[in-house]
Amino acid sequence: MNQFFTDASNIRDGRITVTGADVNHISNVLRLKRGETVSIVCNDNGLTYTCAIDEITPVEVVCLIRDVQSESRELPVSITLFQGLPKSDKLEFVIRKAVEMGAVRIVPVAMKRSIVRPDPAKAAKKLPRWNAIAESAASQSKRGMVPEVLAVHTFAEAVTEARKCDKILMPYELAEGMDETRRIMTDIRSSEPGSIAVFIGPEGGFDETEVNSLKEAGAHIITLGNRILRTETAPIAILAWLTYIFER
Amino acid sequence: MNQFFTDASNIRDGRITVTGADVNHISNVLRLKRGETVSIVCNDNGLTYTCAIDEITPVEVVCLIRDVQSESRELPVSITLFQGLPKSDKLEFVIRKAVEMGAVRIVPVAMKRSIVRPDPAKAAKKLPRWNAIAESAASQSKRGMVPEVLAVHTFAEAVTEARKCDKILMPYELAEGMDETRRIMTDIRSSEPGSIAVFIGPEGGFDETEVNSLKEAGAHIITLGNRILRTETAPIAILAWLTYIFER
């Protein structure tokens, strides 16, 4: 079943009114017709509504609510990915996969060894596109919310933001071995954190000053195993680990 | 440092002779010169040789062995990925990522719901390309061996092959919850298997007859969490889990 997202304000009297880009998607791309069933998740209350399409006009699709489910597909811990800005279109790949794997926020970070130096005006222009990618990935993986992609942060801004999380994780090639990493992960699990920040270095890895600044912020340094992972694979691996450890 | 692979037969008298496609890669792509250092892994003994380039000709590169390391970057369990044939070029993505994440063999499997029906002659032609991708990914992730990509198997052939492994894992959307999955994974870890077969369904998922046939072969059915993963993301997630559980 196709899934869409909506705000609580569009839900009234047993009906949900879909507007915006989803209207074209429903009528012209998916070619859904009156009577067909769609799944609509409310961004505000996290509920999933099973609906029948009642009316399709060029500007809106009115759906009748048939059933409501409160079952959550969200991880019991809120994960923010701080991704060192990678080359070319890899960030879009990372957004897609991080959403699929359960992250709730993605923060691109201009790190010292990032090869791309984003022009702030250009990066700001990309933000709507990045968030559209997140929404589409959220629909496909049946997420219970649409993860947000923030504007490109400086490293200092990212650390300030990460300090608001209960725990900070930093996979780093100079970490101690796997036994120590498993010990750290088990301890973190036991502490029942509400939120975790994960920092992933860009292609060139973290600069030493960045490592020190994260250590100072209380980050736990871990390894992701004995093979070298690409900057765009590492977030998938750590999100898989966090799923294994935390998923209900 | 750039890494290449060689067979034991190319190592003699403190020298390694590199031939084949690596020669062009070293001299014309990487533009390495005499005296520069490369890392060469022996496919037969798994040792890593640190070498200085001694001579570059159009047909071979002769390297002087400076140091030998026996430290293994390989997982302590040998994982074969049986991947339901996905659409378009996704199999190449899966090969690249599975190699990066530590699989030792990749077996594309024509499953009932695979959208692509490969013409055997065409698929056979792609085999060298698939293995070249595996070799390149193995170099980049500093693997201690080059994983092999086998020809497209039928489901029956794949099950016969998988029965040779100590354990079979099948992520399936109708699996019990995460607690049961963690229990299965912990049991498997305790049994210290030498080899594990992992089956991943194609875009449309497994057919019921396939599920039954794998159950009969003793497969453990697990979930990968509460979100829907794409067929090309699932192998990364399960390989990440196996790394977390088994890595030394």
Side-chain angles (χ1 to χ4, degrees):
Chain A
M1 200 187 325
N2 293 290
Q3 180 179 300
F4 304 92
F5 292 94
T6 193
D7 296 330
S9 59
N10 296 321
I11 307 177
R12 209 179 345 176
D13 299 335
R15 284 154 200 272
I16 300 178
T17 307
V18 176
T19 56
D22 286 338
V23 175
N24 178 54
H25 194 62
I26 289 174
S27 55
N28 299 323
V29 181
L30 299 170
R31 294 163 186 256
L32 298 179
K33 307 276 175 235
R34 186 165 191 276
E36 291 197 79
T37 310
V38 293
S39 173
I40 301 179
V41 176
C42 175
N43 279 322
D44 301 301
N45 62 23
L47 295 176
T48 303
Y49 298 86
T50 305
C51 302
I53 295 175
D54 189 42
E55 200 190 343
I56 300 178
T57 79
V59 294
E60 64 181 35
V61 177
V62 180
C63 303
L64 298 174
I65 297 173
R66 296 289 189 215
D67 195 16
V68 186
Q69 296 94 30
S70 61
E71 190 198 345
S72 170
R73 288 183 178 276
E74 291 300 307
L75 278 170
V77 57
S78 155
I79 302 166
T80 302
L81 171 65
F82 294 87
Q83 173 72 44
L85 215 53
K87 276 193 282 192
S88 62
D89 59 354
K90 279 187 195 167
L91 184 64
E92 300 191 357
F93 173 88
V94 168
I95 292 168
R96 210 169 280 125
K97 293 301 166 194
V99 168
E100 193 180 341
M101 298 296 304
V104 305
R105 269 199 318 174
I106 294 134
V107 185
V109 185
M111 297 194 189
K112 280 225 167 117
R113 297 193 188 157
S114 286
I115 292 151
V116 178
R117 288 275 132 229
D119 163 355
K122 268 193 195 161
K125 266 193 204 157
K126 282 189 179 164
L127 202 51
R129 174 171 166 79
W130 291 340
N131 278 287
I133 289 170
E135 176 160 352
S136 145
S139 294
Q140 282 167 10
S141 50
K142 314 276 186 211
R143 290 288 302 270
M145 51 93 70
V146 180
E148 190 185 6
V149 186
L150 304 192
V152 177
H153 280 45
T154 64
F155 198 83
E157 289 166 348
V159 173
T160 303
E161 201 56 38
R163 278 178 185 272
K164 298 176 192 164
C165 292
D166 296 334
K167 297 285 174 188
I168 305 177
L169 281 174
M170 172 177 49
Y172 184 46
E173 72 267 31
L174 300 181
E176 308 262 328
M178 275 300 296
D179 286 333
E180 175 63 6
T181 289
R182 276 185 288 254
R183 199 192 56 70
I184 291 170
M185 298 298 283
T186 308
D187 282 357
I188 289 180
R189 176 73 191 84
S190 309
S191 73
E192 297 187 6
S195 55
I196 297 180
V198 176
F199 275 77
I200 301 292
E203 285 89 353
F206 291 108
D207 181 81
E208 217 186 301
T209 59
E210 292 168 341
V211 175
N212 291 335
S213 136
L214 276 171
K215 272 186 190 166
E216 214 171 278
H220 297 272
I221 298 180
I222 58 169
T223 174
L224 290 177
N226 299 339
R227 287 153 303 286
I228 308 292
L229 298 191
R230 286 168 168 265
T231 180
E232 70 273 25
T233 314
I236 309 180
I238 181 72
L239 285 162
W241 284 16
L242 292 168
T243 300
Y244 181 73
I245 295 167
F246 283 96
E247 185 75 283
R248 270 185 288 250
Chain B
M1 197 190 326
N2 293 290
Q3 179 179 300
F4 303 92
F5 291 95
T6 194
D7 297 330
S9 60
N10 296 321
I11 308 176
R12 208 176 350 171
D13 299 335
R15 282 154 202 273
I16 300 178
T17 306
V18 175
T19 55
D22 286 339
V23 175
N24 179 52
H25 194 62
I26 289 174
S27 55
N28 299 324
V29 181
L30 299 169
R31 293 163 189 255
L32 298 179
K33 306 278 176 232
R34 186 165 192 275
E36 290 197 79
T37 310
V38 292
S39 173
I40 301 178
V41 176
C42 175
N43 279 322
D44 300 300
N45 62 25
L47 295 175
T48 303
Y49 298 85
T50 304
C51 303
I53 294 174
D54 189 42
E55 200 189 343
I56 300 178
T57 78
V59 293
E60 63 180 36
V61 177
V62 180
C63 302
L64 298 174
I65 297 172
R66 296 290 190 214
D67 196 16
V68 187
Q69 296 94 31
S70 62
E71 190 196 347
S72 170
R73 289 184 177 277
E74 292 300 308
L75 278 170
V77 57
S78 155
I79 302 166
T80 302
L81 171 66
F82 293 87
Q83 172 73 44
L85 217 52
K87 275 194 284 191
S88 63
D89 58 354
K90 279 188 194 166
L91 183 64
E92 299 190 357
F93 173 87
V94 168
I95 292 168
R96 211 169 279 126
K97 292 301 168 194
V99 168
E100 194 180 339
M101 298 297 303
V104 306
R105 270 199 319 173
I106 295 131
V107 184
V109 184
M111 297 193 189
K112 279 226 169 115
R113 297 191 189 160
S114 284
I115 292 153
V116 178
R117 288 274 133 227
D119 164 355
K122 266 194 194 161
K125 265 193 202 157
K126 281 189 179 166
L127 202 52
R129 175 171 164 81
W130 290 342
N131 278 288
I133 289 170
E135 175 159 353
S136 145
S139 295
Q140 280 166 13
S141 50
K142 313 278 186 210
R143 290 289 303 270
M145 51 94 70
V146 180
E148 190 185 5
V149 185
L150 304 193
V152 176
H153 280 43
T154 65
F155 199 82
E157 288 166 347
V159 173
T160 303
E161 201 56 37
R163 279 179 184 271
K164 298 177 192 163
C165 293
D166 295 334
K167 298 284 174 190
I168 305 176
L169 282 174
M170 172 177 49
Y172 184 47
E173 72 266 31
L174 300 181
E176 308 261 327
M178 273 302 295
D179 286 333
E180 174 62 7
T181 290
R182 278 185 287 255
R183 199 192 56 70
I184 291 170
M185 299 299 281
T186 308
D187 282 357
I188 289 181
R189 176 72 190 85
S190 308
S191 72
E192 298 189 5
S195 55
I196 297 179
V198 177
F199 275 76
I200 302 292
E203 285 87 355
F206 290 107
D207 182 80
E208 218 185 301
T209 58
E210 292 168 342
V211 175
N212 291 336
S213 137
L214 275 170
K215 272 186 189 164
E216 214 172 277
H220 298 272
I221 298 181
I222 59 170
T223 172
L224 290 176
N226 298 339
R227 286 153 302 287
I228 308 290
L229 298 190
R230 288 168 165 263
T231 179
E232 71 271 27
T233 315
I236 309 180
I238 182 69
L239 284 162
W241 283 17
L242 291 169
T243 299
Y244 181 73
I245 295 166
F246 282 96
E247 186 74 284
R248 270 185 289 250

